[in-house]
Amino acid sequence: MPSIEQALQQACQFGPGCPQRLGDAIRYAVLAPGKRLRPALVLMAAEACGGTHAAAMPGAVAVEMIHAYSLIHDDLPAMDDDDLRRGRPTVHIEFDEATAILAGDALQPLAIAHLCRHVTDPARAAQAVQILATAAGPEHLVGGQADDLAAESGPPPQTDSSDVEGADEQVAASNRIQSNPIESDVELIQRWGGTHRALEFLESIHRRKTGALFAASLDLGAVLSDASDSQRAALAAYAADIGLAFQVVDDLLDHTADETRMGKRVGKDAGRGKLTYPGLMGIDQARVRAAELIESAQQHTTPFGSAAGRLNQLAHYVLQRSH
């Protein structure tokens, strides 16, 4: 959307106190070609609630800044160690690791400052800041990433697979879901003490790591449009389903798509022993799960009528990516 791109470009112009290399790295991350899904969600929520794009645009810019920071840090060698993002070298490859860390550091306060500067009503600005800061904090985005990294080495300490009733049966059931070993990782399921336990933990990761920013995006659009409590609740329910569906589909694409389509390395998650939906459910069942979530998401848009047209279009788009 051109208006989002223009707003992001304007927000990434810095004064003389910002070193040229740091500013270049920030712009490289924020302005990289991408779907702009989260800022688009802010504007879609505003549409659904009868607001304007102009009023919601500060939220769209701020949430994309937080998203860009999270991608910079996720790609670092100490985290997911990726060298390709959105079809280009990651920030620490294009620049260097220290500059990448600093660019991510800078984007967090920059997002908050942007809200404070451009949301003119003080009470609404404070509410928007709280929504975004909470979503980006240790109980949500950062906590989800921490658990995602920890899951590579197996179940958390409190998980005792020997206490899981029917663990062998769950593994056997998983074997029946898919016969192709790429599509269901029996060893991984056994290590976690059964499919149910692993799926439960995986969902808790993604409802924070991915879902929290989806929810914040929609809530920012609602709050900046003076939405009612019932409208915010409906959007929160939509966000819970669409955010998880997006991650299920992303996991599917990591198993089935090529790097040109994805713009990043594929197949790495399974190779590192990460929990993924296809690895636990098989590809066919993961597609079924995504479809169920999309159907549920669309039901939550009913109260908005035709104003939710783009939210429903987005749901179709997310599902289409899985095939």
Side-chain angles (χ1 to χ4, degrees), residues 74-104:
D74 283 2
D75 290 337
L76 290 168
M79 304 281 271
D80 290 342
D81 193 16
D82 279 312
D83 59 4
L84 192 67
R85 171 72 68 178
R86 292 176 170 175
R88 308 191 306 175
T90 49
V91 177
H92 70 275
I93 297 294
E94 181 69 16
F95 293 87
D96 57 73
E97 190 171 347
T99 301
I101 292 170
L102 291 171

Side-chain angles (χ1 to χ4, degrees), residues 38 55 125 143 171 194 224 246 254 264 270 274 279 314:
R38 289 152 190 83
V171 172
L224 296 176
F246 183 86
D254 189 66
K264 61 182 181 180
K274 278 197 171 187
L314 173 64

Side-chain angles (χ1 to χ4, degrees), residues 45 49 207 211-212 214-220 222 227-244 296-297 300-301 304 311:
C49 297
R207 286 205 181 278
F214 274 68
S217 299
L218 288 156
D219 204 23
L220 282 168
S228 66
D229 289 344
S230 63
Q231 288 176 319
R232 290 180 67 187
L235 288 171
Y238 172 89
D241 287 333
I242 201 76
L244 190 57
S296 177
H300 295 304
T301 67
F304 300 103
L311 289 173

Side-chain angles (χ1 to χ4, degrees), residues 18-173:
C18 178
Q20 182 68 40
R21 185 172 177 81
L22 176 61
D24 288 345
I26 292 171
R27 284 185 286 271
Y28 182 86
V30 175
L31 303 179
K35 297 180 288 293
R36 306 291 184 234
L37 182 54
R38 289 152 190 83
L41 281 170
V42 177
L43 303 188
M44 290 178 195
E47 290 173 6
C49 297
T52 66
H53 283 191
M57 191 60 76
V61 170
V63 80
E64 186 68 359
M65 287 178 168
I66 292 296
H67 178 53
Y69 127 71
S70 73
L71 296 182
I72 294 172
H73 282 195
D74 283 2
D75 290 337
L76 290 168
M79 304 281 271
D80 290 342
D81 193 16
D82 279 312
D83 59 4
L84 192 67
R85 171 72 68 178
R86 292 176 170 175
R88 308 191 306 175
T90 49
V91 177
H92 70 275
I93 297 294
E94 181 69 16
F95 293 87
D96 57 73
E97 190 171 347
T99 301
I101 292 170
L102 291 171
D105 290 346
L107 280 166
Q108 298 172 69
L110 192 62
I112 300 303
H114 190 83
L115 285 173
C116 293
R117 187 178 301 117
H118 294 282
V119 179
T120 55
D121 178 74
R124 192 165 294 171
Q127 194 173 12
V129 166
Q130 182 180 22
I131 289 167
L132 188 57
T134 300
E139 296 178 356
H140 295 90
L141 172 62
V142 177
Q145 173 68 354
D147 273 348
D148 192 24
L149 292 170
E152 293 179 27
S153 58
Q158 65 268 28
T159 300
D160 183 354
S161 61
S162 65
D163 292 337
V164 180
E165 186 176 352
D168 292 340
E169 288 79 1
Q170 288 177 318
V171 172

Side-chain angles (χ1 to χ4, degrees), residues 160-217:
D160 183 354
S161 61
S162 65
D163 292 337
V164 180
E165 186 176 352
D168 292 340
E169 288 79 1
Q170 288 177 318
V171 172
S174 178
N175 281 334
R176 291 193 295 271
I177 289 173
Q178 296 289 346
S179 59
N180 189 330
I182 294 176
E183 296 182 352
S184 59
D185 190 333
V186 178
E187 182 181 348
L188 184 66
I189 292 167
Q190 288 175 328
R191 181 153 55 92
W192 277 80
T195 307
H196 177 75
R197 180 65 61 88
L199 281 172
E200 205 172 53
F201 192 71
L202 179 60
E203 182 169 324
S204 79
I205 289 172
H206 291 310
R207 286 205 181 278
R208 291 170 290 153
K209 184 179 176 182
T210 303
L213 274 192
F214 274 68
S217 299

Side-chain angles (χ1 to χ4, degrees), residues 259-276:
E259 290 178 5
T260 301
R261 178 182 176 188
M262 291 292 284
K264 61 182 181 180
R265 302 292 179 212
V266 296
K268 285 189 64 180
D269 288 349
R272 293 178 62 174
K274 278 197 171 187
L275 294 174
T276 68

